[in-house]
Amino acid sequence: MRWIKIPDPKTTRNKPATRINMERLAQDVKNYPDAYQYERVRAYQAAASQHSGH
């Protein structure tokens, strides 16, 4: 239990994003700055299903 020894929350994460193309996400945010997160999720799910062959 790390929180007993170090009660402060961690501010960094030492693990890269594994399933999200960060460049594509940055471009999407740039193109659609007012989009809701659920809209981005739907766009990514549609794109992922097209690429995976389901």
Side-chain angles (χ1 to χ4, degrees):
M1 293 192 260
R2 182 197 65 80
W3 58 270
I4 292 175
K5 296 177 186 174
I6 306 170
D8 298 327
K10 290 191 172 190
T11 58
T12 59
R13 181 173 181 238
N14 295 327
K15 182 178 177 186
T18 55
R19 301 189 80 176
I20 298 175
N21 182 341
M22 297 307 272
E23 291 87 19
R24 182 170 169 225
L25 178 61
Q27 186 65 36
D28 189 59
V29 170
K30 186 176 179 181
N31 292 340
Y32 307 103
D34 295 331
Y36 291 104
Q37 288 183 353
Y38 71 87
E39 293 172 330
R40 295 189 202 285
V41 169
R42 286 183 185 163
Y44 270 87
Q45 287 174 343
S49 66
Q50 291 172 358
H51 292 295
S52 65
H54 290 337

